[in-house]
Amino acid sequence: MPKCIIDGREVEFTPGQNLIEVAKSAGIEIPLFCYHPGLSVVAQCRMCAVEIEKFPKLQTACSTPAVDGMVVKTQSEKVKQNQKSVMEFLLINHPLDCPICDKSGECDLQDQSYGYGDAYMRTSEERRTYVDLDMGPVIQKNMNRCIHCTRCIRFGDEIAGIREMVAIQRGNNTEITTIDGRPLETDYAGNYSDICPTGSLTLKDFRFKKRAWFLKKTATTCEGCSRGCAMEMQHEANMIYRCIARENQAVNKYWICDEGRFNYHYVQESDRVTEPAMQSSGSLQMSVWKDSVVHARNALQGRKVAILIGSDLTLEEAKLIQQFVPGKFPGAPIFHFGTPGIVSSKDDDAADALLKRKSKTSNLHGMEKLGIAGFSGLPLGIDAVLVFRGGRAELPKLAGVRVVGVGVFKRPDAEKFEAVLPGTAFTEKDGTIVNFMGMEQRLKRAIVPPRECKSVSEILMMWANL
Ligand code: SF4
Ligand code: SF4
Ligand code: FES
């Protein structure tokens, strides 16, 4: 493997890697703003400039590929002076409103100002200000904070496949905006906030809800479709506040769609049934666990029962159900369900040119791996259904049969059920799902289940021991 010398250390690299990536692999940080590994390289901000032996001027590390034998200095006086100058330049127009900025605590501009900037500025001119246009429901724009790194413009062009962010005017008057001031159209708008290195583009959904440094982070997988993008749940005091993309080069690279990003909200909504409940006096009433499980069992006793398993359940949960059913419901057929019109993996396909899939549940392919057939209608003679659901699978219409639900349901959908035994959502459990490529991925528990909710294994154990 070729090698170069960075700050006196010999570092191996793969041909084609730029100096930022090579330095990172050796634990050496080169400050940057405009570079993002998932976007084209434009070398605009000049923050990453380094000294290279035999080069008369500083070179931008993002646009310079490493060469065998190259000698690079990232901390020489010349480099440090450049970093101070770039910071001074970028802050000429920055409003310095960190205390009231929602990016504070995770802002590249703030961090690099502390790390590489100077304590003094030479300007005393008034800063430019903008009136911000509404960019739609996902992103809040604050142009005063923008440093013109153009990451957002490149994301729209190169990843989302829609040229909607542009730079207008020139020089001190440059403004990053949408074409004709229109709201954003992409289904991937949340990524604008993830990649903006300042508080210029923030998530409306998250703004001022929680300071970034209070958040705990759990690396998990999206349940929004059969791709299974890598994501990070950010939470505090058993409440999820935000979900962001996590890098997985094989599945989603650096991105997630808005549907997946905001999907977790249902977990915390007030219409979720979080206590065991059963029919009493003509309506679904809260009860205690023992009575609800007995009621559920009695409601199905002596009937011809079919079992429906949401393809939003994990492999472990589905396997447990497969083992439980023959003992309690001998001969009962088992089907998986999840997305209208998607019965098997043959029906699953790309829903757009980037990430989204047609199957709106994460484990359709896992269900097939367990040999469970897709639901396309109840067999003749069935007069009762036991439904297991993780929270995302869309319940088929079940007219004229008794229904008992185990898992995540909400009112009013569950009002007509004989009983609801509340289970855990994807944020509240560990488990395995299989994406459309056949890759096994992990769900990780970020928060504990609310109120009385229990895992499928706990519920089946209670039922088995009646
Ligand atoms: S809005 Fe953010 S991402 Fe876009 S150019 Fe400005 S600083 Fe960069
Ligand atoms: S593409 Fe699918 S798996 Fe990825 S974030 Fe969107 S809904 Fe989730
Ligand atoms: S990160 Fe290299 S010039 Fe901006």
Side-chain angles (χ1 to χ4, degrees):
M1 254 183 144
K3 293 177 189 131
C4 61
I5 312 282
I6 303 182
D7 295 342
R9 287 163 59 186
E10 204 174 64
V11 188
E12 286 189 342
F13 63 89
T14 312
Q17 268 189 308
N18 67 32
L19 288 175
I20 287 187
E21 296 297 341
V22 178
K24 195 157 107 190
S25 71
I28 298 167
E29 184 194 64
I30 296 177
L32 55 94
F33 288 114
C34 67
Y35 174 69
H36 185 288
L39 303 173
S40 61
V41 175
V42 287
Q44 275 174 215
C45 71
R46 321 309 285 180
M47 189 64 187
C48 69
V50 292
E51 218 176 328
I52 303 176
E53 215 172 78
K54 299 195 186 119
F55 279 69
K57 291 182 181 172
L58 297 180
Q59 300 295 313
T60 47
C62 62
S63 62
T64 308
V67 172
D68 196 28
M70 196 179 238
V71 179
V72 181
K73 289 182 194 155
T74 73
Q75 294 178 30
S76 67
E77 265 320 301
K78 228 167 144 184
V79 170
K80 285 183 181 167
Q81 191 47 53
N82 174 69
Q83 289 164 347
K84 283 183 183 165
S85 303
V86 172
M87 282 313 308
E88 184 180 13
F89 178 67
L90 292 179
L91 293 176
I92 283 175
N93 268 315
H94 200 74
L96 305 182
D97 57 357
C98 299
I100 55 139
C101 176
D102 213 42
K103 193 80 170 184
S104 189
E106 55 180 2
C107 173
D108 292 349
L109 191 65
Q110 189 185 62
D111 292 348
Q112 295 187 25
S113 168
Y114 280 116
Y116 304 96
D118 211 338
Y120 302 97
M121 287 189 75
R122 287 168 288 173
T123 55
S124 53
E125 282 81 7
E126 210 168 289
R127 285 162 163 77
R128 61 181 192 178
T129 50
Y130 295 88
V131 176
D132 287 321
L133 292 162
D134 189 358
M135 287 177 69
V138 181
I139 294 293
Q140 177 73 40
K141 181 177 177 232
N142 183 321
M143 182 58 210
N144 296 346
R145 298 173 182 153
C146 176
I147 58 167
H148 311 155
C149 74
T150 71
R151 280 186 184 185
C152 54
I153 297 176
R154 283 174 283 146
F155 173 79
D157 277 0
E158 298 165 13
I159 307 298
I162 178 166
R163 171 161 263 262
E164 53 184 354
M165 298 289 291
V166 288
I168 56 170
Q169 311 281 18
R170 287 294 176 267
N172 195 50
N173 298 323
T174 302
E175 182 176 356
I176 308 290
T177 183
T178 55
I179 292 177
D180 296 337
R182 291 200 296 257
L184 295 170
E185 284 173 30
T186 175
D187 290 340
Y188 293 83
N191 297 288
Y192 285 123
S193 161
D194 287 356
I195 59 171
C196 179
T198 72
S200 190
L201 303 175
T202 52
L203 282 184
K204 282 186 174 168
D205 184 63
F206 175 69
R207 279 163 61 82
F208 305 120
K209 297 226 172 105
K210 188 60 76 177
R211 282 303 204 179
W213 51 86
F214 289 124
L215 294 170
K216 294 167 197 71
K217 295 163 183 175
T218 303
T220 187
T221 307
C222 180
E223 67 152 6
C225 76
S226 61
R227 179 170 290 276
C229 294
M231 52 171 47
E232 183 177 278
M233 285 294 160
Q234 302 191 340
H235 48 97
E236 210 252 334
N238 217 42
M239 173 74 84
I240 297 170
Y241 286 92
R242 182 172 60 173
C243 169
I244 62 169
R246 202 161 53 79
E247 181 184 343
N248 183 336
Q249 287 300 324
V251 178
N252 55 300
K253 298 204 162 55
Y254 307 92
W255 324 113
I256 53 173
C257 73
D258 293 340
E259 192 175 343
R261 183 183 296 268
F262 301 120
N263 171 53
Y264 73 86
H265 279 293
Y266 79 85
V267 167
Q268 304 174 155
E269 270 163 16
S270 57
D271 56 0
R272 175 174 167 189
V273 182
T274 52
E275 260 118 14
M278 58 192 212
Q279 284 296 330
S280 174
S281 314
S283 65
L284 193 71
Q285 304 278 343
M286 279 187 327
S287 180
V288 294
W289 266 105
K290 178 98 192 287
D291 293 354
S292 298
V293 179
V294 169
H295 188 92
R297 181 198 58 185
N298 294 345
L300 300 179
Q301 221 153 34
R303 294 188 169 257
K304 266 191 92 48
V305 179
I307 313 295
L308 296 191
I309 304 180
S311 47
D312 52 355
L313 292 189
T314 63
L315 285 184
E316 293 82 355
E317 290 171 320
K319 187 78 199 162
L320 267 181
I321 297 164
Q322 279 182 311
Q323 289 168 348
F324 169 82
V325 167
K328 297 290 174 190
F329 304 99
I334 305 179
F335 304 103
H336 67 73
F337 70 97
T339 313
I342 307 278
V343 177
S344 83
S345 56
K346 291 197 188 77
D347 307 318
D348 186 21
D349 203 354
D352 66 17
L354 186 49
L355 298 174
K356 289 172 149 200
R357 304 280 307 170
K358 285 187 176 160
S359 167
K360 291 294 163 201
T361 52
S362 58
N363 206 15
L364 167 70
H365 299 254
M367 294 295 148
E368 288 191 349
K369 212 172 160 182
L370 292 177
I372 302 171
F375 178 78
S376 55
L378 286 175
L380 278 177
I382 295 292
D383 59 358
V385 176
L386 175 56
V387 187
F388 294 85
R389 179 175 183 264
R392 173 87 180 159
E394 195 170 320
L395 209 59
K397 293 215 176 342
L398 297 170
V401 292
R402 284 197 164 179
V403 181
V404 167
V406 178
V408 180
F409 297 92
K410 55 183 187 176
R411 294 171 191 270
D413 302 356
E415 296 290 354
K416 296 269 182 299
F417 288 9
E418 276 300 323
V420 177
L421 309 178
T424 48
F426 79 113
T427 50
E428 298 154 7
K429 62 189 170 195
D430 291 336
T432 312
I433 51 176
V434 182
N435 80 353
F436 77 102
M437 293 179 265
M439 291 171 62
E440 287 196 357
Q441 311 204 89
R442 298 286 294 162
L443 293 184
K444 292 297 281 180
R445 178 193 260 213
I447 54 173
V448 296
R451 301 172 79 101
E452 298 276 332
C453 296
K454 291 185 187 296
S455 65
V456 167
S457 60
E458 286 175 299
I459 297 169
L460 294 187
M461 183 72 88
M462 287 172 72
W463 195 315
N465 289 333
L466 284 180

